[in-house]
Structures are given as structure tokens and as C-alpha cells.
Amino acid sequence: MKKLNRLRPKFQSKQTITINAPIEKVWAFNQDLSRIPVYHPRVNKVDLISGKQFREVGVSYRCHLSDGKNTCVEKDIEIVPLEKIVTVFTADTMGLTKLLPDYIVESTVKQIDNNSTRVEISHFYSSSNWKAWLLNFIIKSKIARQTMDTLNAMKMNIENEY
């Protein structure tokens, strides 16, 4: 697929897990947008805005959060098969996209051996004004915990299927 030709905002954090399944199984599981509520603890429903169930560059989807009142819209902007997915947040009902308009999540997979795969989720965003800096101070560790919860749920689901 087409490479992203812009600079990344500042690196903020990275969470990693090893899933005991072949890379092809891990990749296929993550391509199905309808599965997001199965492994993302904060999401209880996904609307396929682009009308596509599987990831591809330019596909947008709306996540309904488990609090029952908030949503966020995500869009995949770069996909390298069996390597990485780059996702941006384009809108939300909580005001985060106004404070962090350049928030990027990069998910990568790497085969360790025939039956295990490393999955990493990295977060990038600028905290250039005082409001964004304060928000980052408050939410950075929460984002890391929630991402690990997501990775652990993903691991459990994939390993139970495999």
C-alpha cells in the first residue's frame, strides 16, 4: 500500500504483547472491524461508516464507547499487509480531537516464530499547548493501561480461536 509521507507527531507510548498464534491469524483477526467490540474494552459497537467490514486505506468507522454516550471516528490511513496499520482519530464527542488533532496510532505485527506473533501499539501526538500538555499528563498512563487491556483481550480471543 501507499506509504505515509508526513512526519509523525511526538512519540508518547508503546505497548507490546506476544500472541501464541501465527502472524496470518493475528493479522486476519485485526482486519475485521466488526470484531473491535470483542477485544476493545471501551467499545461496545462499531458503525461501518465506509460500508466496509475489513480494513483498507481510507476506511472510516465509528466506535460507540461503553459509557453509552460517547463516540469516536477512526480512519485507517496506511496499511502494510502483515506488518502495520496506521489509524487516525478524525472526530469524537469528548473533545479529544480538538485538543490532540494529530493523534496517530500505529499497530505493528512481527512474526517471532511459526506459532507466535508480537503485536505493538504505539501512540503519537503533539502536546504543544498547555491544555494538551495537561491532558497528556492526566491521560498518558490511562491510555497505556487501556491499550494493554485491549492487547490482553485480543490475545485471549485469538488464542482461543487458534
Side-chain angles (χ1 to χ4, degrees):
M1 302 272 160
K2 202 174 184 179
K3 289 277 186 190
L4 186 62
N5 290 327
R6 66 175 126 152
L7 296 174
R8 292 257 190 275
K10 182 180 176 192
F11 170 79
Q12 297 293 337
S13 70
K14 175 172 43 178
Q15 292 72 45
T16 305
I17 200 161
T18 298
I19 298 176
N20 297 311
I23 192 170
E24 295 82 7
K25 297 276 186 190
V26 174
W27 184 260
F29 181 87
N30 284 292
Q31 293 304 296
D32 187 346
L33 297 169
S34 69
R35 288 188 175 197
I36 293 172
V38 171
Y39 63 85
H40 198 301
R42 292 194 60 220
V43 176
N44 63 14
K45 180 183 170 192
V46 173
D47 296 332
L48 304 173
I49 297 170
S50 297
K52 301 198 177 196
Q53 181 178 342
F54 296 94
R55 294 182 184 275
E56 62 183 73
V57 173
V59 168
S60 294
Y61 49 95
R62 178 177 294 108
C63 295
H64 293 262
L65 303 184
S66 54
D67 66 8
K69 59 185 175 184
N70 287 300
T71 64
C72 65
V73 176
E74 302 179 3
K75 181 179 183 179
D76 292 329
I77 60 169
E78 181 182 4
I79 297 177
V80 179
L82 299 173
E83 287 184 32
K84 74 177 171 179
I85 302 164
V86 180
T87 306
V88 295
F89 295 89
T90 60
D92 73 284
T93 58
M94 301 160 288
L96 290 176
T97 50
K98 287 185 176 127
L99 283 172
L100 305 172
D102 60 352
Y103 196 120
I104 294 175
V105 174
E106 182 176 285
S107 304
T108 60
V109 294
K110 184 167 176 70
Q111 182 173 322
I112 297 171
D113 58 38
N114 288 340
N115 292 308
S116 58
T117 304
R118 183 175 60 239
V119 179
E120 293 182 348
I121 299 178
S122 299
H123 305 269
F124 302 84
Y125 54 88
S126 302
S127 53
S128 54
N129 64 46
W130 71 270
K131 286 181 185 178
W133 183 87
L134 182 59
L135 177 68
N136 187 42
F137 181 76
I138 295 167
I139 67 169
K140 191 172 185 175
S141 63
K142 185 176 183 177
I143 289 171
R145 277 192 315 277
Q146 290 176 348
T147 301
M148 278 311 304
D149 290 345
T150 298
L151 287 169
N152 283 319
M154 186 184 300
K155 174 182 174 72
M156 183 188 71
N157 278 279
I158 293 170
E159 290 178 357
N160 286 341
E161 280 185 15
Y162 177 62

